[in-house]
Amino acid sequence: MAFSEFRPLDENSLIEYIKATPSLSSKIVDNYDGLKIKEVGDGNLNFVYIIVGPSGSFVIKQALPYVRLIGESWPMTKERAYFEALALKQHGALCPEHVPEVYHFDRTMSLIGMRYLEPPHIILRNGLIAGIEYPLLAEHMSEYMAKTLFCTSLLYRSTTEHKRAVAEFCGNVELCRLTEQVVFSDPYKVSEYNRWTSPYLDRDAETVREDNLLKIEVAELKSKFCERAQALIHGDLHTNPEFAFYGPMGFDIGAFIGNLILAFFAQDGHAGQGNDRKWILKTIEDTWNLFHQKFTALWDEHKNGSGEADLPAIYNNTELQKLIQEKYMKELFHDTLGFGAAKMIRRIVGVAHVEDFESIKEANIRAHCEQRALELGKTLLKRRREFVSISEVISAMKHVQS
Amino acid sequence: MAFSEFRPLDENSLIEYIKATPSLSSKIVDNYDGLKIKEVGDGNLNFVYIIVGPSGSFVIKQALPYVRLIGESWPMTKERAYFEALALKQHGALCPEHVPEVYHFDRTMSLIGMRYLEPPHIILRNGLIAGIEYPLLAEHMSEYMAKTLFCTSLLYRSTTEHKRAVAEFCGNVELCRLTEQVVFSDPYKVSEYNRWTSPYLDRDAETVREDNLLKIEVAELKSKFCERAQALIHGDLHTNPEFAFYGPMGFDIGAFIGNLILAFFAQDGHAGQGNDRKWILKTIEDTWNLFHQKFTALWDEHKNGSGEADLPAIYNNTELQKLIQEKYMKELFHDTLGFGAAKMIRRIVGVAHVEDFESIKEANIRAHCEQRALELGKTLLKRRREFVSISEVISAMKHVQS
């Protein structure tokens, strides 16, 4: 450990820290000539530095004891870095091909050193905005979600392992509280933090706050988010897993699919670039279908393992095994749509917005895109149980968009 | 603390222990002349002593590191006493009028000293078998359940309090595992521990193990039991709360109502005593209806409190508040019927039976009573969502019984 007590790093003290930390200095072979350090934290919470030297590179992420987007007036435990490192390591062990390696963790400093994905890698959201197609996105994301969610659930784990892990991640309560507030509460009430594309969406935001059916449904999802320890979920499946805890699987799958839907509707604001948005529809469809396929394949493969939920001595015939999988996957599909919709709505009328829409300069065009996304989000949240397959979601998207 | 390390007590060492423990010796005013000690543990797990002296009385309960019913071949952490004492204290603070006071807890010895309810108090189950009517039973039990369940849920508590408590009770994992096995798993598969009134119920037990629909539904309830931290539940609402952890409320309400249903069907085997069973039907109906009334009254009373689930800024009109309560109570009613049914089934074809049936000497009469209870249990488990009110459950009971 480089420092004996917490202090926020800057670019100068960061070098000092690296020099004193073998697991980091070895990554750049102790070569500080021409070392480049860049703060890139465009997120809402943390400071993120990219360190690139002639002989290697890594990323440093430090949590400060408040919400960066809001400032010191919104305190937030820096212990979140501990849960992020823990989740990265556990998810990394389950799916090393799609989780960045953790090189170093310092609990005192709330600091993680991890792999830097060098150019041409860019943040997915920026690629989506630029109209780049990612033919392997559904394949990779479904792989990551199927492996991490299945293997941390009671379909794979014993009750003893599960309860121990649930107890540990209960410690990440402040991040859960933050999600409860910004996803499930604030968008549905008057809150100083809410914002939207005004004046175009003034009436839309008000309509959200007056929609009884919508509020009933979001209460059910919030209760599931708070109470159901189904698997170690990422908790914010577009950035980094400091939100990780034991929660409902649909929250992760929904976060990813909901963000793809937002990207789809934002394309109208980036139309000058002549982007083809069909691949986004295909990616949404493939993501769910591949996830379904991979998840049930893992289930079949491990059905004689130590998982507590589906004991082979009880679920002892093919028909019954099929029935129980169908029931589980149907509920997960509806959870996915509900949580995905809640994430869409909060990105339009809540505190934290997405670059997909923010980067549309003309407010009236941005508002038009947002209104369509909001309309679909409300439909999905209120009527999710009526959707039988992901292709019906695609149809609804096309219908709203046309 | 009387002893520095764990040892199972007997009647002699118990006196030595009491003498060295002021919180116990003071209860009998240090008067050991004519002190009577009686081991009364008729349960499946622990040793229970009643200590009565000329100047006072109390109960000592000690957990041994195995399941008493099975023996040392089924190990079971004695740490369960810690969770029992914790739950007794927490439930006692919320509903002191219906929870026995804890005088003393010794974690090393896994030993609880608590209030002895002197005669004419007897164990409720024995009173039910004897045909005694308890006119206040529904009133008292609904009061206890409404207060303890509401006040340990997110309808009353903040996320911070809730997650801290959930994490602590995750430590009671061995008792949860035991319930998972004996309630949700063993009755639905071949298990060395299962037993039933043979040969009369051989085919019935087999039918339970071959009923796909029943197994699908019990999987859903098991998942809810394992994953949903809704409130601090008693966990075995007929004996003592060593099974306490954060689980679904319906597990407690269902346990109590399910046991009343068993008592109802057992009356045919005790008919010679001319018992009136109508009061049991009324008690079942009153229990749910009074619980519903008390629980929603608490909800209304505390709707501006610190509970996270139902924020007044969102659920801000009477109609909406009514809708959300109706939805919550409907799910809780169906959970109650499902868990109650699972508890009934396991008492007929699983490892631990109830004295209501066991005390019926003639096996063919016992089997007849058990078959009716089993039939109703299966119907409730598979078709619980079709029941709209508790009076429909009463009708179904009468139908099966006639």
Side-chain angles (χ1 to χ4, degrees), chain B residues 153-213:
Chain B
S153 80
L154 282 167
L155 293 170
Y156 182 76
R157 284 215 179 135
S158 72
T159 298
T160 306
E161 298 168 306
H162 189 75
K163 283 242 191 281
R164 190 188 303 122
V166 169
E168 170 137 47
F169 278 94
C170 276
N172 205 13
V173 55
E174 284 201 36
L175 278 280
C176 292
R177 280 181 56 213
L178 180 60
T179 302
E180 288 166 31
Q181 179 176 344
V182 301
V183 177
F184 300 104
S185 299
D186 279 359
Y188 305 90
K189 68 186 186 71
V190 175
S191 160
E192 58 179 311
Y193 301 113
N194 287 343
R195 62 188 182 83
W196 52 82
T197 303
S198 190
Y200 306 95
L201 262 60
D202 287 0
R203 181 66 198 128
D204 300 83
E206 195 177 30
T207 302
V208 166
R209 296 196 303 270
E210 287 168 355
D211 188 334
N212 281 3
L213 190 49

Side-chain angles (χ1 to χ4, degrees), chain B residues 307-351:
Chain B
E308 181 58 44
D310 179 33
L311 302 178
I314 301 178
Y315 302 94
N316 52 0
N317 64 69
T318 314
E319 186 200 342
L320 182 54
Q321 185 67 15
K322 189 162 169 288
L323 279 173
I324 204 156
Q325 283 192 352
E326 281 172 0
K327 186 164 188 288
Y328 196 98
M329 299 312 286
K330 182 179 163 193
E331 188 192 349
L332 187 48
F333 180 59
H334 293 152
D335 281 3
T336 295
L337 299 185
F339 285 120
K343 300 279 263 182
M344 290 169 63
I345 293 169
R346 78 99 161 195
R347 292 298 192 179
I348 297 165
V349 299
V351 57

